[in-house]
Amino acid sequence: MIEPSIIKNPPYPQNYATEFLLLDKGEGIYLFDADGNRYRDFAAGIAVNALGYGREDLAHIASEQMKKLIHVSNLYANKPAVELAKKMVASGDFAAVHFGNSGSEANEAALKYARIYGKRKKGPQCHHYLSFTGSFHGRTMGALAATATEKYREPYEPMAPGFHFSEYNNIKQLEETLTDEFCAVIVEPLQGEGGCTPMDKEFAAALNKICAEKDILIIADEVQAGMARCGEIYSSALSGLNADIVTLSKPLAGGLPLSATLIPAKVNDLVHLGDHGGTFGGGPVTTAVANFIWDTLTAKDFLADVKKKGDLLAAELEGIKADLGLKAHVVGAGLLRGLALEEEGQSAKIGEIIGKAQSKGMLILRAGSNVIRLAPPLIISEKEIKEGMALLKEAIKDVLTA
Ligand code: PLP
């Protein structure tokens, strides 16, 4: 058992916890607390740190760029951002990329561009959005309005108007809800916070068809599942979803804040000067690092390696389930995986399991109400996956059979 280095009551707002593990440094997939205790990181700063910690290469790129040019605003262009934008645009049927600083901001931009498209192409009535149960699109007021889960929304109601929900993976409800007055559907091709739930292929096909018929944009929120986490550049490839607009963020700059909203020509053609903007998005330091991250994460071999390790992680979770006789199922894709506990009495103990894992030197996450979520750095080795899963098994066993 680890005696962790804990900080109590830091001057943070009360929406955060009152007690934190005080982390100090990292190396590879390991994090160290302020007392030097080591933790296997299966959380990666909530699916962010794709290349792990202690990276001399990232530190070198960032520090050289800081010395050269640190910030210019979007009144001017900078080389790393233009270079990155060109690569990103070439990754699909895109014409432009709007840079921001967070997943929420990427989705805000997507929602704004979609309204511009709907209203300027089809008329003012075409301003409605559809999103799905179990979704999480962020905590700013627009992204929040698109987030179905009541507990995130309720304290801030009334929400912005024009947002509607239907059940994820329910084709009938989709067909009943979507009309010509919708400008966009915003959807996670694999729901992260909601429970590592993948989109059904049939649902993706139905969504593609209705949206093409009614000229409704599909916004794929790839903030958590995109950029190699699921073994594909875009997780929409898993179900065959045809996204018009794609949002990315978490791993994009290796742990620095950066987001991207990729838009097609048919949208960009309707956007006017001054319609949207931001001070920090696409700064030279974050985009310099992101060029390196993009090149690394989108390489074929890297993606294949993530897929292979993701299969191992899923097999290990199946092993835990079988060995402990759990009523559960393995969810997710690639290196965004979860163990969904089916018995309420057990899922109520996920918080305890997370604490137990931490005391054994391992950091894990939860998703939805019943999922133990794992999102390690993508550079994790097969050996590290097996070692981690042995610890997770012990932690689950200790809590559920205590
Ligand atoms: N979209 C998805 C799918 C996410 O998982 C998240 C965060 O977890 C967000 C958007 C919001 O991102 P951020 O917290 O960077 O605003």
Side-chain angles (χ1 to χ4, degrees):
M1 288 279 277
I2 286 176
E3 268 308 316
S5 181
I6 295 289
I7 180 163
K8 289 190 178 168
N9 300 315
Y12 294 167
Q14 294 188 79
N15 48 291
Y16 289 116
T18 50
E19 195 176 288
F20 293 87
L21 177 63
L22 190 60
L23 292 170
D24 188 42
K25 62 176 185 174
E27 192 62 52
I29 69 141
Y30 297 99
L31 283 164
F32 297 84
D33 70 21
D35 286 334
N37 297 308
R38 193 180 81 155
Y39 302 85
R40 280 173 180 78
D41 182 18
F42 278 70
I46 320 186
V48 169
N49 304 310
L51 299 185
Y53 305 96
R55 302 284 306 209
E56 289 296 335
D57 42 14
L58 301 189
H60 179 74
I61 294 167
S63 67
E64 288 305 302
Q65 186 58 51
M66 283 180 87
K67 285 185 244 170
K68 199 170 165 196
L69 183 67
I70 192 165
H71 173 74
V72 293
S73 88
N74 61 21
L75 296 176
Y76 312 95
N78 70 82
K79 270 193 197 160
V82 174
E83 195 188 330
L84 177 65
K86 283 185 177 167
K87 286 182 212 169
M88 297 186 87
V89 160
S91 71
D93 195 9
F94 305 116
V97 47
H98 171 86
F99 288 119
N101 308 284
S102 67
S104 301
E105 257 187 90
N107 288 332
E108 292 291 334
L111 294 168
K112 289 178 84 175
Y113 288 129
R115 251 195 193 159
I116 281 177
Y117 181 79
K119 288 171 69 176
R120 290 188 184 154
K121 184 151 184 239
K122 296 197 279 179
Q125 78 290 350
C126 184
H127 62 264
H128 295 270
Y129 302 106
L130 183 71
S131 58
F132 298 97
T133 52
S135 60
F136 185 81
H137 298 296
R139 293 175 184 268
T140 52
M141 289 302 265
L144 185 61
T147 294
T149 311
E150 190 56 27
K151 72 172 177 191
Y152 298 119
R153 305 159 51 83
E154 187 276 327
Y156 304 102
E157 282 168 350
M159 291 284 107
F163 289 82
H164 310 265
F165 305 109
S166 84
E167 195 187 346
Y168 194 55
N169 282 331
N170 182 330
I171 296 175
K172 191 163 171 283
Q173 267 195 29
L174 184 70
E175 288 168 345
E176 285 166 1
T177 314
L178 277 179
T179 68
D180 291 342
E181 297 194 343
F182 281 75
C183 61
V185 173
I186 178 166
V187 62
E188 291 161 88
L190 188 149
Q191 289 188 336
E193 299 301 308
C196 303
T197 318
M199 182 182 287
D200 295 341
K201 287 191 174 143
E202 299 72 28
F203 186 74
L207 198 47
N208 290 341
K209 184 166 174 284
I210 303 171
C211 289
E213 281 168 6
K214 298 191 188 299
D215 195 9
I216 298 168
L217 296 170
I218 298 178
I219 302 168
D221 177 347
E222 298 266 6
V223 166
Q224 181 157 166
M227 272 197 81
R229 169 98 4 225
C230 294
E232 303 279 353
I233 300 178
Y234 300 119
S235 65
S236 51
L238 299 171
S239 58
L241 181 72
N242 296 332
D244 298 286
I245 297 180
V246 170
T247 60
L248 294 168
S249 182
K250 288 177 181 279
L252 186 54
L256 297 179
L258 178 67
S259 68
T261 304
L262 292 153
I263 60 171
K266 67 179 177 182
V267 173
N268 199 32
D269 288 349
L270 297 174
V271 176
H272 303 162
L273 181 67
D275 272 341
H276 191 42
T279 301
F280 282 109
V285 178
T286 51
T287 54
V289 175
N291 271 293
F292 180 85
I293 298 282
W294 178 268
D295 293 344
T296 306
L297 266 52
T298 61
K300 259 197 182 129
D301 288 354
F302 190 91
L303 293 168
D305 187 51
V306 170
K307 232 177 221 170
K308 188 161 158 252
K309 292 185 300 197
D311 290 346
L312 172 67
L313 183 56
E316 291 282 316
L317 287 169
E318 291 289 355
I320 292 176
K321 177 186 145 183
D323 292 351
L324 300 182
L326 295 174
K327 243 185 124 200
H329 57 283
V330 177
V331 289
L335 288 172
L336 180 57
R337 296 278 177 179
L339 193 60
L341 301 176
E342 284 158 23
E343 281 181 22
E344 222 171 88
Q346 297 194 333
S347 56
K349 291 188 172 166
I350 288 180
E352 257 181 81
I353 295 171
I354 291 172
K356 182 61 82 175
Q358 185 175 307
S359 75
K360 291 176 184 290
M362 179 174 181
L363 305 184
I364 57 174
L365 299 163
R366 78 179 306 152
S369 60
N370 70 332
V371 177
I372 299 171
R373 177 175 38 152
L374 307 168
L378 304 180
I379 47 119
I380 192 168
S381 70
E382 296 194 355
K383 181 166 171 276
E384 287 164 339
I385 288 175
K386 286 183 183 164
E387 287 169 355
M389 289 308 95
L391 276 185
L392 178 64
K393 184 169 143 185
E394 274 181 34
I396 296 175
K397 192 172 163 199
D398 285 2
V399 172
L400 296 187
T401 59

